[in-house]
Amino acid sequence: MALTVPNQQLSPATWRETFYRFLSGTEEAGVDWVNPICILALSVIGVFFIYSAHASVGGDFWVRQIVFLGTGVVLYSLCAYFNYRVLFVNAHWFYLLCLLPLPLVFFPPFGETRSGASRWLDFGVVTIQPAEIAKIGTLIMMASILARGELSTVGKSLGVLFLTFVVTIVPFLLIFLQPDLGSALILPLMVFSLLYVSKLSLRFFLALLMVFILAVTVVGMDIYGYKNYLIRNDISAQDARGKYEVISWFPLKDYQRERILDFVSPDSVDPQGIGIGWNRRQSLQAVGTGGLTGKGWTEGTQAKLGYLPRSVAHNDFIFSVLSEESGFLGGLTVIGLFAVIAMNNLRIAGLSRDRFGMLVVVGAAVVLMVHVFVNIGMSLGLMPIKGLPLPFLSYGGSFILSSFILLGLVQSVYRHRRSAT
């Protein structure tokens, strides 16, 4: 069945009917249970291993995680009952509302800086990370633009591509300047996937490939210059931190250069493994010593003895803790659950009867799976260290809530697919 674009105007009567159906949840009887079951399993696993990561010293991170998960379930339910097509009509307002908090992180009294990064808004009772909200707003706006736009030829798609660039570059730059390169890179990957499923002209992707190769070349030249700077001045990366970024023309922080160089040439930046490469090596040690079935819950030594720093064991490196204590089989189980979610999201995207719903589901799937790929990849030494958490397992409030919202929207597309026009 051909995909259609949802009606762009809702009459007052339709608004009232949609609101009543939203409250009663009676518009569609069908519910997809695959995603909720996988989410529940991953969330329970996450709570257990967050507890284990701090079992030797105590802490209430696992209790807070349960609170975050409970709040996430409420948001998931609301989004699932909500008619996603209302977002299509009001995408521009939703986009602006989601971007509004982004610049506030740079200004007191709400903007909070940690370790030189301004990524949080502190309201006393609660702290939020606006970048997670911006991802959702950008996804909705992009899906709305591409659902309306004509992309059959290069000429017809120029206007759509311009809007795409504007909508993406604003949150990208605001997130990049925090600095939060990992979260910023999620946006172009998400947009690329949406353009791909929108069947944009092949010429665009060939041009984009050339731009990507050029970008990688430029980054490579900068990293090569940074490596020569360390050798020429006979200093360590830690001693050079903050100095090279002053003289370099490329807008990267020195700690970001360290992470990239540690990935491509670890012996040149941290030969003893006691600096920037410490977390990566301890993570590999944790995963490698887990064996087939692991050492047992709370029996992992890397986190218990503090070799895998407790500041990251329960969030960025939760997969390392899980792999050490539950082994290859535990890690494979988690990867399998994420694979089921990914395949199920693609199934729901295929069931969608309108382009907007299909694009929302694809975008949500890409955002979550990029986090999975990068997080597990860095735990296994296959990706540079980036601060991207693992959905539903890593400790954290803003990202968990945004993950529930994204999959709640996927559920909404599934529930309301039959009435899409």
Side-chain angles (χ1 to χ4, degrees):
M1 181 176 292
L3 295 178
T4 61
V5 177
N7 291 331
Q8 300 183 20
Q9 300 295 329
L10 293 179
S11 66
T14 306
W15 273 100
R16 288 193 296 271
E17 182 181 357
T18 299
F19 179 69
Y20 294 143
R21 287 178 175 178
F22 165 73
L23 291 179
S24 61
T26 58
E27 182 170 347
E28 289 286 353
V31 175
D32 168 65
W33 289 105
V34 177
N35 279 357
I37 291 173
C38 292
I39 292 171
L40 176 61
L42 290 169
S43 300
V44 171
I45 293 171
V47 170
F48 272 89
F49 285 99
I50 289 172
Y51 173 88
S52 179
H54 290 267
S56 60
V57 295
D60 61 348
F61 289 105
W62 66 279
V63 177
R64 300 182 199 174
Q65 184 78 348
I66 292 176
V67 174
F68 295 146
L69 292 171
T71 307
V73 169
V74 173
L75 291 176
Y76 179 93
S77 302
L78 291 174
C79 292
Y81 275 79
F82 183 75
N83 189 333
Y84 71 95
R85 292 191 300 278
V86 175
L87 294 175
F88 178 80
V89 181
N90 300 279
H92 54 297
W93 296 114
F94 186 76
Y95 171 76
L96 293 175
L97 183 64
C98 289
L99 258 62
L100 188 61
L102 269 181
L104 300 181
V105 299
F106 301 107
F107 305 101
F110 300 119
E112 180 181 352
T113 301
R114 305 176 188 174
S115 302
S118 302
R119 304 175 185 175
W120 300 270
L121 290 178
D122 187 359
F123 296 103
V125 179
V126 63
T127 301
I128 66 171
Q129 195 169 353
E132 301 301 334
I133 303 173
K135 293 176 189 176
I136 302 174
T138 305
L139 167 61
I140 297 301
M141 190 64 192
M142 280 299 310
S144 175
I145 292 173
L146 294 177
R148 291 184 173 95
E150 176 59 56
L151 299 169
S152 58
T153 65
V154 175
K156 293 180 179 180
S157 62
L158 288 178
V160 176
L161 291 177
F162 177 76
L163 286 177
T164 298
F165 175 78
V166 173
V167 166
T168 307
I169 196 64
V170 174
F172 177 86
L173 290 177
L174 288 173
I175 296 173
F176 180 81
L177 293 174
Q178 291 180 358
D180 187 358
L181 180 60
S183 295
L185 290 177
I186 296 292
L187 297 179
L189 292 173
M190 177 187 71
V191 171
F192 176 83
S193 66
L194 295 182
L195 291 172
Y196 179 78
V197 298
S198 297
K199 299 181 180 179
L200 190 63
S201 172
L202 180 61
R203 296 180 182 178
F204 170 79
F205 292 103
L206 292 176
L208 194 63
L209 177 62
M210 298 302 296
V211 173
F212 175 76
I213 294 174
L214 178 62
V216 171
T217 302
V218 171
V219 173
M221 293 174 59
D222 179 74
I223 300 301
Y224 181 75
Y226 175 66
K227 179 180 179 180
N228 287 339
Y229 175 83
L230 299 179
I231 297 174
R232 188 168 57 250
N233 292 277
D234 193 24
I235 56 176
S236 66
Q238 186 173 359
D239 293 334
R241 186 175 297 175
K243 299 178 181 178
Y244 186 75
E245 64 189 50
V246 176
I247 62 175
S248 175
W249 53 271
F250 196 72
L252 278 179
K253 296 293 184 180
D254 283 346
Y255 78 88
Q256 295 170 332
R257 293 185 174 91
E258 289 178 43
R259 291 179 176 180
I260 297 174
L261 192 57
D262 177 63
F263 174 70
V264 298
S265 181
D267 291 336
S268 65
V269 66
D270 185 19
Q272 297 179 337
I274 59 175
I276 188 66
W278 176 267
N279 289 353
R280 177 181 57 83
R281 298 194 181 198
Q282 299 309 315
S283 174
L284 290 175
Q285 181 77 7
V287 175
T289 58
L292 181 63
T293 58
K295 300 176 181 178
W297 183 55
T298 73
E299 296 301 321
T301 56
Q302 293 302 105
K304 178 185 293 186
L305 300 179
Y307 292 111
L308 190 62
R310 295 186 178 94
S311 60
V312 297
H314 62 299
N315 45 50
D316 292 348
F317 288 95
I318 191 66
F319 187 80
S320 305
V321 176
L322 180 147
S323 296
E324 183 181 15
E325 298 183 359
S326 64
F328 174 78
L329 294 180
L332 187 63
T333 299
V334 166
I335 293 175
L337 288 170
F338 282 122
V340 171
I341 290 177
M343 291 186 292
N344 189 56
N345 286 345
L346 293 180
R347 179 182 72 90
I348 293 175
L351 292 174
S352 176
R353 299 185 181 182
D354 66 281
R355 291 175 60 186
F356 178 70
M358 182 269 292
L359 292 169
V360 167
V361 174
V362 170
V366 169
V367 170
L368 293 177
M369 289 306 111
V370 168
H371 277 82
V372 172
F373 181 81
V374 173
N375 182 277
I376 295 179
M378 73 180 190
S379 297
L380 300 178
L382 302 177
M383 296 287 291
I385 302 297
K386 301 302 300 177
L388 291 182
L390 192 58
F392 307 110
L393 274 84
S394 293
Y395 171 82
S398 298
F399 178 66
I400 284 181
L401 299 184
S402 67
S403 298
F404 272 105
I405 291 173
L406 286 172
L407 289 184
L409 291 175
V410 172
Q411 184 72 256
S412 176
V413 172
Y414 181 84
R415 292 188 66 254
H416 297 277
R417 69 193 185 282
R418 295 173 184 170
S419 56
T421 55

